[in-house]
Amino acid sequence: MKRKEGIIMQDMLYLFKRKRRQRGILLTAVALSILALSANTLAATPQQIVLSSAETAITVEAGSDAPKLVEVRLQNQNSDRWRNQISEALIDHVDIGGVMYPLRWHLQTSKVTASADTVSLIYETVAAPHLRLTWQWRVRADKGPIEHTIFIQNLGQSEVWLPLQPSFRFDWKVDPKQSLQRLWVEKGSGTPSSVGTHLDDLHPGDSWTGTSTSYANPVSYQSREMIPYALVSNSRGDRSGWYIGMEFSGRTRITLGRDRGSVRGEVGLNPDPGPFQTRLLAGESFETPTVFLGTFSGGPDGAANILRRWVRQVLNNPLTVQNLSYPLMTSNTWGEGLEINETQAYRMIDQAAQLGLEMLHIDAGWFKGVGDWYPSPSKFPHGLAPIADEAHRRGLKFGMWVNWAQAGIGTEPGSLNVNDPKVKDWLIADTPPDWKPDSFVGRTMDIGVPAVKDYTLHEIERIVRDNHLDMLEHDGYLVANSCSRLDHPHAASNLPPTSTAVEGNGLAMPESSNSTDVSYHAVRSYYEIYSHLREQHPALMFEICNDGGRMVDFGSAAHGDYISITDTYDPLSNRRAFFDASYVFPPAMLETYVDRWPTPRIENFRYMLRSGMMGWFSLMFDPTLAGNPNTLDISRLVTIPKWTADDYAAAREEFALYKDKLRPLIRNADLYHVSERPDGIHWDGMEYFDPKSRRGVLFAFHGSTTTESVHHFQLQGINPKRSYRLTFHDRGSSSDVVVSGLALMQAGVDVSLPVPISSDLVFFQEESQ
């Protein structure tokens, strides 16, 4: 016992010293006495440990047969403590050879670890089968949420089949009279809906289930998928509360409900359609999708300004976010569809350099065929490497689209042919005899299969190397919907070996009982592939497209550098998708494509460009060519002329302004939603403000209404006791005015735009004392 006491004192001394070094990360050292308690004592009086960041503090409890998150609270505030009424739900059985074995878990007190940034509680089964479960909470930054993961290891000699282990469940005790609100955000996949951001009152009796996959094609907001994130806050006072999210790109689910005395929910893999099972071989470990839990005050924007900085610091690639040219301004070829060729690529390099853009991005259409990821000899007779070299010579980066998880019917060396016996077994299902791929979508391979993972890793390495890439975009059904194979690592499917719903016809295979397990293995392989590529090519950037906004999630944020947030490219769709996704992600990684659009006046032209300039900007066409917009109502389809000299001059000015003044704010500033969600009719706006440089900008957009030529925007985040100099960009410096922060927050700034479908940028700087 004396030896254990000595260890405890050493740990407490270490934590005291570390506490002084690590501001904002605290651990209640006295709780480490848990290490010296016997199992019997622990069962009688479970010990509690506190772990915290600057904003969020959690208390965990080491129960003898199950752990518990006791409460979560906002640091240094007199706000409510969210007290949990239930312990963690640990799996209670496994399947071995078709026989169900019940499980009883027991805390291993000698294996509990607690430090200034991590708490791990270890449980093992009392009898065979021998499993070990690690219940872990981790602080990875001074500020922001706290992460949680459960690991289950098979210590036995036989394979076992696990049922669903939720990542986290909760039942917060609340005052029945307390007014609460719930927020969740849709993905912008396809076309953003008319709702997008859902901020609703949470009444007793209300319930909600949000789901996320990487392939959904919703047709209405009732079936829209969520970005895997939810928030609950007080609707009055400091509007404080908590938020939770998942760092996973597979099939996930969040449930949330309220009765009179509690708010309850569950977060993790989606159990439907079920029953869910996953195989665990001897010595293997299963890992639940990591969740993060945080607290905030100041409503959804208060939460967002904490979370976005945490995502940038913890999840994003450090080399990317430290690059002062991030986010880049890109010239993308997709506006010309599949007809891109060598002549046009060289012309677009020249145009991009003249306009001040920073990367040429060759989109779909460059390849021989689906699964045959080599340059088309008819379109690119000299390959893509010389084009990349020319882009580099002109000071541009070079990026390329690849749908690398898809197979087709190509017969040339190096192509993935669905009829090749080796490739056939890699597919999620057999293909009908007359099957053909679409122009750029084929049959999905199951990348959760180790051989497929190894193949794709080497294939992507070749693509990056052969084509001198600075950026790789992935698209299509990368994470399979389901799989009918019996010899793959995932659980068996209730689908037949073939399916008439195949990707080549624009559809994914229907969901089946193994869909979640298929996606679990595929996502893990995908992450391993991209982590390896990061190691081999540290400066290589990744765009996450996946059919335009279907993988907008925190797993993507941890493995990609920027995300395409919508597959519709008109100004309204771009602003709607940005409005929604910016509640959870750093704006620098939110990409909107700017397509051709009718701009009879120069004010309309700037409105079009600026609608895509609040995050990562991609110009999606060759401005030297005329064309038809592909995102408007059929009644509005007209031929869009080539850019005029005035258009070129305005574009060069806007792009220079982006790099000089807007990009530093997009990278570093807080962001505030200072209007209702865009509807294309009324005014809408977004505000950036950087408290360090004390600079900001208001993006102001005047919709189609002709009845309101002046609008008032109330600024947020500024100091009400200081004054600010305002510059209206389109009206010139002669309109500069100094206004008190209090007036800007209460009365707001007046923006006058007499022309509908127009915009302005209002820059503001705090005056020195």
Side-chain angles (χ1 to χ4, degrees):
M1 191 68 179
K2 289 182 178 179
R3 179 176 179 272
K4 289 185 177 180
E5 291 173 351
I7 293 173
I8 292 169
M9 292 303 296
Q10 290 175 12
D11 287 344
M12 292 175 66
L13 180 61
Y14 165 78
L15 289 169
F16 176 75
K17 292 179 178 178
R18 188 168 182 178
K19 173 182 173 182
R20 295 174 64 183
R21 294 195 304 266
Q22 292 186 240
R23 291 176 298 172
I25 300 180
L26 307 176
L27 178 68
T28 305
V30 69
L32 290 177
S33 59
I34 183 175
L35 295 173
L37 292 175
S38 69
N40 291 334
T41 303
L42 185 64
T45 57
Q47 296 301 295
Q48 297 183 350
I49 304 171
V50 175
L51 193 65
S52 63
S53 69
E55 296 88 10
T56 301
I58 63 169
T59 302
V60 301
E61 184 175 271
S64 61
D65 55 5
K68 179 180 180 180
L69 177 70
V70 177
E71 71 172 16
V72 60
R73 61 182 174 83
L74 183 64
Q75 288 273 68
N76 303 319
Q77 295 282 339
N78 294 320
S79 55
D80 296 332
R81 295 170 179 257
W82 298 84
R83 298 182 182 275
N84 195 8
Q85 302 179 103
I86 57 174
S87 297
E88 191 72 89
L90 306 183
I91 57 172
D92 60 3
H93 71 277
V94 295
D95 181 325
I96 302 178
V99 178
M100 296 295 180
Y101 288 79
L103 301 179
R104 284 200 309 118
W105 297 98
H106 185 70
L107 178 68
Q108 304 297 297
T109 57
S110 63
K111 297 177 182 178
V112 170
T113 59
S115 68
D117 53 17
T118 304
V119 172
S120 294
L121 305 183
I122 312 297
Y123 290 79
E124 291 189 12
T125 50
V126 174
H130 192 188
L131 303 176
R132 175 179 294 155
L133 184 147
T134 303
W135 192 76
Q136 182 183 90
W137 289 87
R138 183 168 61 152
V139 178
R140 292 177 65 190
D142 288 355
K143 298 181 178 180
I146 302 174
E147 290 180 315
H148 173 54
T149 313
I150 297 175
F151 306 88
I152 302 176
Q153 184 180 5
N154 181 2
L155 301 179
Q157 300 301 312
S158 303
E159 74 172 29
V160 300
W161 287 88
L162 304 180
L164 183 73
Q165 172 61 62
S167 292
F168 178 59
R169 73 169 186 168
F170 55 88
D171 187 356
W172 311 121
K173 185 177 181 179
V174 297
D175 184 340
K177 298 180 181 179
Q178 188 174 22
S179 297
L180 298 176
Q181 287 187 318
R182 173 209 67 198
L183 177 136
W184 69 278
V185 180
E186 296 177 7
K187 297 178 182 178
S189 53
T191 300
S193 77
S194 59
V195 183
T197 295
H198 299 255
L199 181 59
D200 307 307
D201 291 334
L202 184 59
H203 301 292
D206 289 347
S207 63
W208 167 77
T209 298
T211 60
S212 174
T213 69
S214 61
Y215 46 78
N217 188 19
V219 295
S220 67
Y221 82 86
Q222 287 88 351
S223 63
R224 298 289 294 200
E225 287 201 336
M226 65 168 180
I227 295 173
Y229 170 85
L231 172 153
V232 172
S233 69
N234 298 312
S235 56
R236 301 187 183 127
D238 64 358
R239 300 177 70 200
S240 64
W242 57 270
Y243 58 86
I244 196 164
M246 270 179 289
E247 301 167 29
F248 200 67
S249 304
R251 300 185 76 257
T252 56
R253 186 184 76 169
I254 298 176
T255 66
L256 190 65
R258 182 182 182 183
D259 58 29
R260 287 185 56 80
S262 73
V263 172
R264 63 194 177 280
E266 187 175 288
V267 186
L269 293 172
N270 191 348
D272 297 323
F276 172 86
Q277 278 192 318
T278 191
R279 187 199 330 256
L280 199 58
L281 299 178
E284 284 188 339
S285 292
F286 171 81
E287 179 180 339
T288 61
T290 297
V291 300
F292 55 81
L293 177 66
T295 58
F296 65 94
S297 61
D301 273 334
N305 284 321
I306 296 171
L307 180 58
R308 285 190 294 258
R309 292 185 183 277
W310 181 84
V311 169
R312 181 178 176 184
Q313 181 179 354
V314 172
L315 300 184
N316 287 169
N317 178 21
L319 288 181
T320 300
V321 298
Q322 291 166 11
N323 180 357
L324 297 180
S325 295
Y326 172 80
L328 301 181
M329 302 200 80
T330 301
S331 175
N332 180 279
T333 65
W334 184 235
E336 314 314 322
L338 299 170
E339 303 309 312
I340 183 64
N341 57 50
E342 182 179 273
T343 300
Q344 189 175 359
Y346 281 117
R347 183 171 63 243
M348 292 184 71
I349 288 174
D350 184 64
Q351 292 290 333
Q354 292 187 42
L355 288 169
L357 299 175
E358 298 163 306
M359 179 164 68
L360 177 68
H361 177 178
I362 302 289
D363 215 297
W366 59 268
F367 44 87
K368 292 180 181 178
V370 174
D372 193 351
W373 306 118
Y374 292 83
S376 165
S378 61
K379 296 180 180 180
F380 296 94
H382 302 95
L384 289 171
I387 296 173
D389 293 344
E390 175 62 13
H392 295 153
R393 190 185 71 81
R394 298 294 300 273
L396 305 176
K397 301 289 187 182
F398 181 73
M400 193 171 73
W401 175 103
V402 185
N403 197 351
W404 52 261
Q406 304 284 299
I409 56 175
T411 58
E412 295 190 32
S415 64
L416 284 165
N417 189 304
V418 298
N419 299 309
D420 181 321
K422 179 182 70 174
V423 175
K424 186 175 182 178
D425 186 61
W426 290 355
L427 305 177
I428 58 174
D430 292 342
T431 54
D434 59 347
W435 178 86
K436 292 182 179 180
D438 281 348
S439 53
F440 56 91
V441 180
R443 190 59 148 165
T444 302
M445 296 187 295
D446 182 1
I447 63 173
V449 177
V452 182
K453 181 182 71 174
D454 292 343
Y455 168 82
T456 53
L457 176 58
H458 289 93
E459 177 69 352
I460 299 171
E461 283 270 16
R462 179 196 64 78
I463 292 169
V464 171
R465 181 182 64 252
D466 287 358
N467 300 289
H468 303 179
L469 296 188
D470 302 296
M471 187 280 292
L472 177 74
E473 173 197 0
H474 80 62
D475 201 357
Y477 297 104
L478 176 68
V479 177
N481 187 4
S482 57
C483 181
S484 64
R485 303 300 187 193
L486 299 178
D487 58 347
H488 289 189
H490 54 70
S493 169
N494 58 1
L495 291 175
T498 60
S499 173
T500 56
V502 295
E503 289 86 342
N505 295 327
L507 300 172
M509 280 183 63
E511 293 181 335
S512 70
S513 59
N514 73 348
S515 289
T516 296
D517 196 37
V518 170
S519 79
Y520 174 83
H521 287 278
V523 169
R524 293 296 180 199
S525 289
Y526 160 53
Y527 291 167
E528 289 178 23
I529 291 168
Y530 268 33
S531 294
H532 178 83
L533 286 169
R534 282 266 192 242
E535 293 176 2
Q536 299 301 311
H537 307 278
L540 180 67
M541 291 182 292
F542 297 115
E543 177 187 338
I544 312 298
C545 179
N546 219 78
D547 284 351
R550 287 170 173 81
M551 278 181 68
V552 184
D553 60 64
F554 296 96
S556 293
H559 294 86
D561 296 290
Y562 62 108
I563 305 174
S564 172
I565 57 175
T566 180
D567 223 11
T568 308
Y569 320 116
D570 62 277
L572 176 59
S573 296
N574 281 337
R575 296 206 309 283
R576 281 180 163 177
F578 183 86
F579 183 96
D580 300 334
S582 60
Y583 270 114
V584 291
F585 293 111
M589 67 181 310
L590 301 180
E591 179 193 32
T592 47
Y593 288 83
V594 172
D595 198 3
R596 293 183 178 92
W597 199 70
T599 55
R601 301 179 59 131
I602 199 65
E603 293 91 344
N604 311 142
F605 184 80
R606 292 193 181 97
Y607 171 95
M608 174 190 73
L609 293 181
R610 289 171 181 170
S611 293
M613 288 173 58
M614 291 181 286
W616 182 294
F617 175 89
S618 287
L619 185 68
M620 200 188 71
F621 58 89
D622 182 346
T624 66
L625 300 178
N628 288 329
N630 57 18
T631 57
L632 304 178
D633 295 336
I634 190 66
S635 61
R636 297 183 63 192
L637 284 177
V638 294
T639 298
I640 307 298
K642 295 182 290 185
W643 280 10
T644 65
D646 288 343
D647 293 337
Y648 273 103
R652 280 192 289 267
E653 178 186 336
E654 294 298 310
F655 299 161
L657 181 68
Y658 179 96
K659 291 185 286 186
D660 180 38
K661 291 187 176 182
L662 296 177
R663 181 155 58 194
L665 294 170
I666 292 169
R667 285 170 47 82
N668 301 314
D670 289 335
L671 179 66
Y672 298 94
H673 298 69
V674 292
S675 73
E676 297 296 320
R677 188 169 182 266
D679 63 7
I681 301 171
H682 302 92
W683 288 68
D684 61 88
M686 299 290 288
E687 176 203 344
Y688 283 100
F689 181 69
D690 180 7
K692 290 185 177 180
S693 67
R694 296 176 294 176
R695 296 176 181 270
V697 66
L698 169 68
F699 282 81
F701 297 96
H702 177 187
S704 62
T705 178
T706 58
T707 60
E708 186 185 10
S709 60
V710 179
H711 189 77
H712 314 285
F713 289 97
Q714 292 175 301
L715 300 187
Q716 301 179 37
I718 59 178
N719 188 338
K721 298 180 180 180
R722 303 299 296 272
S723 295
Y724 294 83
R725 179 172 295 276
L726 275 59
T727 301
F728 296 81
H729 179 73
D730 288 353
R731 284 190 265 162
S733 60
S734 61
S735 301
D736 284 9
V737 61
V738 176
V739 184
S740 73
L742 183 62
L744 292 173
M745 298 176 75
Q746 293 183 346
V749 54
D750 293 345
V751 181
S752 175
L753 292 172
V755 177
I757 314 297
S758 62
S759 63
D760 201 355
L761 298 171
V762 184
F763 292 93
F764 52 97
Q765 166 73 61
E766 185 177 302
E767 292 280 271
S768 57
Q769 289 182 324

